[in-house]
Amino acid sequence: MSGENLEEYGLKRWGKKGLKTPEEYIESLRKLDLKIYMFGERVKNFVDHPIIRPSINSVAATYEVAHDPLYADLATATSHLTGNKVNRFTHIHQSVDDLAKKVKLLRVLGQKTGTCFQRCVGMDALNALSIVTYEIDQKMGTNYYQRFLNYLRYVQDFDLVCGGAMTDPKGDRSLRPTKQADPDLYLRVVEMGDDGIVVRGAKMHQTGCINSHEIIVMPTITLREDEGAYALSFAIPSDAKGIIYIYGRQSCDTRKLEGAPMDVGNPTYGGQEAVMIFDDVFVPWDRVFMCGEWQFAGRLVEVFASYHRQSYGGCKVGVGDVLIGAAQTIAEYQGVANASHIREKIVEMIHLNETLHACGLACSYEGYKAASGTYMVNELLANVCKLNVTRYPYEIARLATDIAGGLVVTMPSEKDFRSPEVGKYLEKYLKGKADVPTEYRVRILRLIENMVIGLGAVSYLVESLHGAGSPQAQRIMIRRQVNLEEKQRFAKKLAGIPS
Ligand code: SF4
Ligand code: FE
């Protein structure tokens, strides 16, 4: 990897350039030599692992849409580097239209998968770096932007998935990185040489990292002058020596091992989170995009976070569409769809969901051209978008649970439905409307269960709260972005108070 021409490296590794099909993407994962642990054991074949595979299928959907004529305009773009057609997940936004298309694409993928499809973190990291590496160079006379463009070309040419790694373990939250009892609680440089750097630390809850070809690392907080060792951004192959993945458990995950797919609710697709350990990982200089420039750590965090907060106005809305559709369907199956209170609840769910989308689109249409030429979202509106996402999906989930009824969490298993002894009783007594097969009712209830309390609730609810930063992070950004004094002047003027 060190010093190698990225194009040659890519051809050796991935065989050919160009847009990958979903099948080619899945096959490309088999070439990765990842060190993954789950339930205390090393996972040998992660691609076919029943707990992991649904998350791979979700990422594969990002490749599928790029080949679907119906979505080609949303899912592909023209590279500003090469003029070639690239997957939008590797594209650098060149206009406000690009920003809006991103949000619309994420909504489509949320609708198709009903979960987190994981590829947006890398897209947001690439776009953030395309802005901040340029700014570092302008101020510090460094050469990061050109390095970044070389790397971007590699990602675009070979249609790769990049995982974005931002969240450090942080240890004692009241202490700065250098004051922690263990200095590795924030990822840092432990060695610098002529060829590159050696890094040590960990990143927590890394969405889709195991399904990625590349990992892009960024700092997690604004840093101070004595914290240069933590001011780090770089990209490495996901199977670089020294990286260890420890798979994150998700609610009801072992249902995927039971041979009863109906009980999973959404058996084809899923999200993925893992802990990543960086056990003295070597990173060659041509893959380093920030090293010591502490003044820009906060800027990189904010730009990335704003892009990712915009993303949630797309993906979570698409998942919300699925849940609204499931709620309406179960209401029909149970014969209550025309009750006025049910209609009101469905309208309320739609209102909340569309409000989120409106925020995602608004921060895109109010975007602007940054110094590097990349289009950036309106930070205030992106943070408002994400702060709403920390609340509305919970209310949508509450309403869906209300409409579904208690059966959503009390149903016997698929194996009981298939049982020659008791299956007939469940078939008879779990019947809703006479013309709807009982199994359909069970299936839609399981999907709702998945999204409000099961596996899918990780992506739809907890990730809505904590993904792209917990609510307090958005509040801080909103306060910083807004001109409160101006608002006071408006008020004082009308009230006749001199300012
Ligand atoms: Fe993409 Fe949404 Fe998952 Fe983030 S939470 S990676 S934006 S699908
Ligand atoms: Fe996320």
Side-chain angles (χ1 to χ4, degrees):
M1 171 173 77
S2 171
E4 240 182 318
N5 174 307
L6 276 171
E7 188 177 5
E8 279 171 28
Y9 169 78
L11 284 170
K12 241 189 282 171
R13 218 161 175 198
W14 314 115
K16 65 177 176 71
K17 292 185 186 179
L19 289 180
K20 285 184 177 24
T21 64
E23 295 75 25
E24 285 169 342
Y25 160 65
I26 291 170
E27 284 315 299
S28 72
L29 293 180
R30 295 188 196 280
K31 297 181 182 167
L32 297 174
D33 182 21
L34 302 179
K35 209 171 185 186
I36 305 167
Y37 287 83
M38 188 196 290
F39 302 131
E41 283 172 14
R42 178 98 186 252
V43 176
K44 294 275 159 49
N45 172 6
F46 78 98
V47 177
D48 299 310
H49 193 291
I51 288 189
I52 302 176
R53 184 52 181 261
S55 73
I56 294 176
N57 294 341
S58 303
V59 182
T62 69
Y63 287 90
E64 193 185 314
V65 285
H67 295 276
D68 185 337
L70 198 59
Y71 301 113
D73 184 46
L74 287 185
T76 60
T78 303
S79 164
H80 74 297
L81 286 181
T82 62
N84 294 335
K85 187 168 157 182
V86 294
N87 190 300
R88 186 169 296 283
F89 282 93
T90 68
H91 182 57
I92 299 299
H93 312 301
Q94 297 300 303
S95 62
V96 156
D97 194 42
D98 271 346
L99 289 169
K101 279 181 177 163
K102 168 196 162 183
V103 173
K104 292 177 187 177
L105 171 64
L106 301 198
R107 184 170 187 169
V108 166
L109 283 159
Q111 293 165 346
K112 279 181 168 289
T113 61
T115 187
C116 167
F117 35 90
Q118 308 145 55
R119 204 175 170 188
C120 336
V121 198
M123 165 172 51
D124 294 338
L126 290 171
N127 275 277
L129 281 170
S130 81
I131 291 177
V132 180
T133 53
Y134 184 88
E135 292 175 356
I136 302 175
D137 287 358
Q138 294 300 301
K139 183 98 183 280
M140 318 293 279
T142 43
N143 190 29
Y144 291 127
Y145 186 58
Q146 191 52 49
R147 263 188 212 171
F148 166 74
L149 291 180
N150 294 344
Y151 176 73
L152 174 69
R153 187 172 177 151
Y154 165 63
V155 171
Q156 290 188 336
D157 280 353
F158 294 95
D159 197 7
L160 302 178
V161 176
C162 298
M166 174 165 270
T167 311
D168 294 80
K170 298 196 193 84
D172 181 341
R173 268 64 172 169
S174 70
L175 298 175
R176 298 292 306 175
T178 53
K179 301 289 183 288
Q180 298 284 334
D182 181 346
D184 301 339
L185 288 170
Y186 286 76
L187 187 112
R188 65 189 180 120
V189 182
V190 290
E191 235 182 276
M192 255 189 227
D194 291 343
D195 295 345
I197 57 177
V198 176
V199 302
R200 185 187 302 157
K203 291 285 183 181
M204 310 300 287
H205 26 82
Q206 292 311 300
T207 300
C209 52
I210 285 162
N211 302 338
S212 300
H213 306 101
E214 289 278 324
I215 302 292
I216 300 174
V217 170
M218 295 161 285
T220 197
I221 51 166
T222 299
L223 294 167
R224 298 175 185 165
E225 195 168 352
D226 62 337
E227 296 166 341
Y230 298 92
L232 258 186
S233 180
F234 58 86
I236 34 160
S238 55
D239 57 355
K241 191 164 170 281
I243 296 185
I244 300 162
Y245 300 87
I246 308 171
Y247 210 81
R249 294 214 64 174
Q250 302 206 347
S251 176
C252 309
D253 50 6
T254 45
R255 283 200 193 182
K256 289 188 273 190
L257 304 174
E258 292 172 358
M262 218 163 87
D263 288 353
V264 180
N266 180 2
T268 309
Y269 298 107
Q272 178 191 92
E273 306 291 334
V275 176
M276 278 185 76
I277 309 294
F278 293 74
D279 187 11
D280 289 4
V281 176
F282 173 72
V283 186
W285 280 116
D286 57 359
R287 285 168 162 275
V288 176
F289 309 128
M290 173 192 282
C291 185
E293 291 80 9
W294 58 273
Q295 306 91 324
F296 290 88
R299 172 78 177 141
L300 183 52
V301 172
E302 285 187 7
V303 175
F304 168 78
S306 296
Y307 274 131
H308 206 48
R309 290 168 191 170
Q310 170 212 26
S311 296
Y312 278 46
C315 75
K316 300 303 178 215
V317 180
V319 178
D321 287 329
V322 176
L323 189 53
I324 293 167
Q328 173 67 23
T329 305
I330 196 62
E332 289 173 9
Y333 287 178
Q334 297 179 159
V336 294
N338 290 326
S340 64
H341 70 100
I342 297 287
R343 293 162 83 110
E344 267 168 35
K345 283 166 190 158
I346 295 283
V347 169
E348 177 68 6
M349 292 165 84
I350 295 167
H351 162 70
L352 293 169
N353 205 41
E354 296 301 333
T355 302
L356 300 179
H357 197 50
C359 290
L361 289 176
C363 71
S364 307
Y365 286 123
E366 288 294 307
Y368 63 93
K369 192 177 185 173
S372 69
T374 302
Y375 270 74
M376 175 60 186
V377 292
N378 176 298
E379 289 98 331
L380 173 61
L381 296 180
N383 279 276
V384 168
C385 174
K386 173 62 203 342
L387 192 56
N388 284 338
V389 172
T390 65
R391 298 174 184 163
Y392 298 176
Y394 281 88
E395 181 61 7
I396 293 169
R398 189 186 72 79
L399 290 165
T401 310
D402 181 353
I403 293 170
L407 198 56
V408 79
V409 289
T410 59
M411 266 185 313
S413 79
E414 178 178 356
K415 289 184 179 169
D416 292 312
F417 278 91
R418 311 275 180 233
S419 154
E421 286 89 38
V422 296
K424 57 179 184 279
Y425 297 119
L426 294 177
E427 187 64 42
K428 177 178 162 76
Y429 290 112
L430 264 61
K431 188 91 186 157
K433 273 188 157 268
D435 59 346
V436 177
T438 307
E439 183 172 325
Y440 289 7
R441 184 180 180 213
V442 173
R443 282 183 179 276
I444 211 78
L445 283 167
R446 283 288 180 216
L447 177 63
I448 295 171
E449 180 198 30
N450 170 290
M451 298 175 81
V452 303
I453 199 173
L455 261 173
V458 177
S459 294
Y460 187 51
L461 298 182
V462 184
E463 198 174 35
S464 284
L465 192 64
H466 291 297
S470 306
Q472 189 57 18
Q474 286 110 65
R475 289 201 177 88
I476 291 168
M477 282 277 285
I478 287 171
R479 179 62 189 90
R480 206 179 294 152
Q481 292 288 329
V482 92
N483 186 345
L484 205 50
E485 293 70 33
E486 184 189 50
K487 295 185 196 306
Q488 287 181 284
R489 278 199 302 278
F490 295 148
K492 285 180 181 173
K493 188 171 177 208
L494 292 178
I497 303 170
S499 48

